[in-house]
């Protein structure tokens, strides 16, 4: 295969009670049906809040199962819980093995590697990083073994959280610690990747669309396919809109297109948290 068309969706945050997010997913689904990429990757937060409401994971899986193309998944903090950080308050729901197992049962592997169009694709569970869970150490061991066979091919890395804001040495700040891979595992990961031809890092999580490069390494922040977060809740770094990202990989290059599926709406998180949405929940 000399061309590989990949669609990244992210942060769909599905829940049976949140009809507006299901409507956005249906727009996405129609667009995928029309464009028929070779693969869809959801880079995490498939569920609105699985640790608090396990049915969200099941509902999200059922909608993804209806997509007409193959899919791969990575966990988000709203699927399996969040990373412990050095700065800022501890997460309200830290990542743990029980929730990780529930994710594995619903969506399959939380890390993967495959090859297409001359590229080497790696997907990682970014939430176990800095957790001290056995799964964190196992993943690093697994990654070391996988990278040993990359053999000069360009590498594309997918994970839920961006590695950093602008540069690898960015400090962990209390106000934004939950947004990025924590510094200690970030350093370890970047050290391991130094030996391969890393060209692309694609993430989700921030609910903002961004496309920038750090010393030639392209970094794509996929927007949420579900909702945007207002400026009063979250600083504006890039573009706040719902949508998706389309990639076309050929043996030595990648094209990136930033896309909104027809009909997608910029649902605001505040709308979802209003009492009327809670009434919807009670009614369902
Ligand atoms: Fe999210
Ligand atoms: Fe997230």
């Amino acid at each position: 295969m000399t061309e590989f068309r990949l669609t990244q969706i992210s942060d769909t945050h599905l829940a049976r009670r949140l009809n507006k997010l299901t409507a956005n997913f249906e727009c996405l689904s129609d667009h995928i049906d029309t464009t028929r990429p070779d693969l869809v990757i959801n880079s995490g937060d498939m569920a609105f809040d699985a640790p608090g409401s396990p049915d969200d994971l099941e509902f999200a899986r059922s909608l993804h199962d209806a997509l007409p193309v193959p899919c791969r998944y990575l966990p988000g903090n709203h699927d399996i819980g969040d990373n412990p950080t050095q700065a800022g308050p501890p997460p309200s729901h830290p990542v743990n093995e029980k929730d990780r197992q529930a994710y594995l049962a619903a969506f399959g592997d939380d890390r993967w590697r495959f090859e297409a169009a001359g590229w080497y694709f790696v997907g990682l569970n970014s939430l176990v990083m800095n957790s001290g869970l056995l799964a964190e150490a196992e993943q690093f061991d697994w990654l070391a073994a996988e990278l040993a066979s990359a053999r000069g091919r360009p590498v594309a890395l997918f994970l839920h959280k961006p590695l950093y804001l602008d540069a690898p040495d960015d400090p962990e700040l209390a106000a934004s610690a939950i947004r990025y891979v924590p510094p200690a595992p970030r350093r370890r990961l970047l050290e391991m990747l130094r030996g391969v031809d890393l060209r692309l890092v694609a993430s989700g999580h921030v609910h903002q669309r961004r496309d920038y490069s750090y010393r030639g390494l392209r970094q794509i922040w996929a927007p949420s396919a579900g909702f945007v977060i207002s400026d009063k809740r979250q600083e504006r770094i890039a573009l706040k809109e719902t949508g998706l990202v389309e990639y076309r990989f050929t043996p030595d290059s990648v094209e990136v297109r930033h896309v909104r599926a027809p009909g997608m709406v910029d649902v605001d998180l505040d709308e979802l948290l209003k009492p009327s949405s809670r009434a919807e929940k009670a009614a369902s």
Side-chain angles (χ1 to χ4, degrees):
M1 196 194 303
T2 55
E3 180 183 287
F4 181 64
R5 290 167 54 238
L6 189 160
T7 293
Q8 183 188 5
I9 61 175
S10 201
D11 297 84
T12 43
H13 284 284
L14 295 160
R16 221 174 283 275
R17 63 191 181 277
L18 297 173
N19 302 333
K20 289 176 178 167
L21 303 186
T22 307
N24 267 348
F25 191 87
E26 281 164 2
C27 297
L28 203 67
S29 187
D30 288 346
H31 179 75
I32 289 167
D33 193 19
T34 305
T35 53
R36 298 286 174 135
D38 298 303
L39 178 71
V40 168
I41 291 176
N42 190 327
S43 49
D45 285 352
M46 275 76 78
F48 187 70
D49 186 26
S53 171
D55 177 63
D56 292 358
L57 215 53
E58 195 180 308
F59 180 64
R61 178 68 211 223
S62 69
L63 292 187
H64 285 79
D65 276 345
L67 292 175
V69 296
C71 293
R72 285 182 184 263
Y73 307 96
L74 290 170
N77 49 304
H78 288 278
D79 301 318
I80 63 167
D82 215 338
N83 318 72
T85 55
Q86 302 307 117
S92 57
H93 192 100
V95 62
N96 61 82
E97 189 54 25
K98 180 171 162 286
D99 288 324
R100 180 175 165 270
Q101 288 298 330
Y103 169 87
L104 296 179
F107 281 97
D109 293 341
D110 60 346
R111 62 178 189 238
W112 37 252
R113 198 269 301 168
F114 65 93
E115 291 160 50
W119 283 67
Y120 207 75
F121 293 83
V122 177
L124 292 178
N125 179 342
S126 56
L127 288 317
V128 291
M129 294 180 187
N130 207 44
S131 70
L133 293 176
L134 185 58
E136 179 184 15
E138 284 175 348
Q139 177 167 254
F140 275 122
D141 290 347
W142 170 86
L143 180 64
E146 295 295 331
L147 292 179
S149 61
R151 286 192 296 272
R153 279 168 287 188
V155 174
L157 173 67
F158 285 78
L159 71 182
H160 182 61
K161 290 192 172 183
L163 294 174
Y164 41 74
L165 171 61
D166 289 320
D169 292 335
D170 286 347
E172 185 175 64
L173 305 173
S176 59
I178 57 161
R179 203 173 290 151
Y180 310 105
V181 171
R186 178 198 306 164
R187 275 193 297 276
R188 184 170 176 193
L189 183 56
L190 289 170
E191 184 59 38
M192 292 172 76
L193 290 163
R194 205 158 296 172
V196 300
D197 183 12
L198 181 65
R199 303 262 188 102
L200 173 74
V201 179
S203 54
H205 182 59
V206 189
H207 292 228
Q208 298 191 37
R209 187 195 289 286
R210 191 173 184 213
D211 185 341
Y212 77 106
S213 293
Y214 174 80
R215 293 187 178 164
L217 175 58
R218 190 138 181 208
Q219 328 240 351
I220 304 293
W221 293 9
S224 166
F227 63 84
V228 295
I229 302 171
S230 63
D231 289 353
K232 76 174 190 294
R233 285 182 182 272
Q234 181 207 50
E235 67 175 305
R236 183 179 289 263
I237 301 166
L239 186 60
K240 293 190 174 186
E241 65 170 21
T242 54
L244 62 145
V245 186
E246 292 176 341
Y247 302 85
R248 192 174 73 89
F249 292 88
T250 54
D252 202 36
S253 69
V254 57
E255 288 173 11
V256 183
R257 290 182 64 224
H258 296 279
V259 180
R260 265 167 84 83
M264 285 185 93
V265 172
D266 287 338
V267 177
D268 191 305
L269 175 60
D270 293 332
E271 274 177 61
L272 299 172
L273 300 176
K274 269 186 205 162
S276 58
S277 292
R278 287 203 288 274
E280 245 179 56
K281 176 184 175 182
S284 63

